[in-house]
Amino acid sequence: MNTSPRDDNGGGAAGASSSERDLVVADATDFDDPRRPLVRALRLGGWVLVGLTIVSLMGWGAARGLPGLWAVLLGIAIGGGFVLLTAASVLATSGTSPSTTMAIVLGGWLVKMVVLIIVLVLIRDLQFYDHTAFGVTAIIALVVVLSAEAWGVITSRVGYIGR
């Protein structure tokens, strides 16, 4: 017995009841979007960064006061922003050729490294933030956001065969 709602020609099955025709999966296009893992990665990375910001502000604020709060904000912006901007640039260029995507992502990474070095040189001797809290927060933000993005990509449900 043929339970498929479509015959080999793509039309409705001859003699199929209306309940058999309702078996067509209407949301299969959700799994056909190749950008879905990147969107999910950015969403998870952003939420993890918000959570980490709240926890870090409470912890470092209690431990180091106002300098700890400033350090958290700087560390989150540099550590988490670095990773999120890379994923955002990949998503923004997902409709272009692979060479264009590679050029934009690598160019963006180079610009981020130059800006990072300039910012670190400028704030090196300033005392308005706690240096330890800044370093710990930036490293944790990098690791946690990158892990969340990787988890988002790995666990995304996408189709392996396109139309």
Side-chain angles (χ1 to χ4, degrees):
M1 176 178 166
N2 183 7
T3 59
S4 171
R6 300 166 66 92
D7 64 8
D8 292 336
N9 295 328
S17 68
S18 65
S19 64
E20 288 178 347
R21 278 186 246 128
D22 292 336
L23 294 176
V24 175
V25 177
D27 63 350
T29 57
D30 289 343
F31 301 109
D32 289 343
D33 186 11
R35 297 167 29 118
R36 184 178 175 159
L38 291 171
V39 171
R40 187 162 190 259
L42 277 170
R43 189 178 320 117
L44 284 175
W47 282 114
V48 165
L49 190 62
V50 167
L52 179 64
T53 302
I54 293 168
V55 170
S56 294
L57 283 171
M58 290 188 308
W60 287 110
R64 305 288 170 98
L66 187 59
L69 297 178
W70 280 113
V72 167
L73 294 176
L74 286 170
I76 290 291
I78 290 174
F82 195 94
V83 177
L84 287 176
L85 284 175
T86 301
S89 66
V90 172
L91 181 63
T93 60
S94 64
T96 63
S97 70
S99 59
T100 302
T101 299
M102 183 178 68
I104 290 174
V105 169
L106 291 178
W109 188 82
L110 181 62
V111 168
K112 287 186 293 187
M113 291 303 294
V114 169
V115 169
L116 175 66
I117 291 170
I118 291 170
V119 167
L120 291 177
V121 167
L122 290 175
I123 68 171
R124 174 181 46 190
D125 296 326
L126 300 178
Q127 298 300 320
F128 74 95
Y129 71 99
D130 185 84
H131 297 264
T132 303
F134 169 71
V136 169
T137 304
I139 291 170
I140 290 174
L142 280 166
V143 171
V144 169
V145 173
L146 185 59
S147 299
E149 286 182 351
W151 178 258
V153 170
I154 290 169
T155 60
S156 290
R157 295 180 61 191
V158 292
Y160 293 107
I161 301 174
R163 292 180 183 203

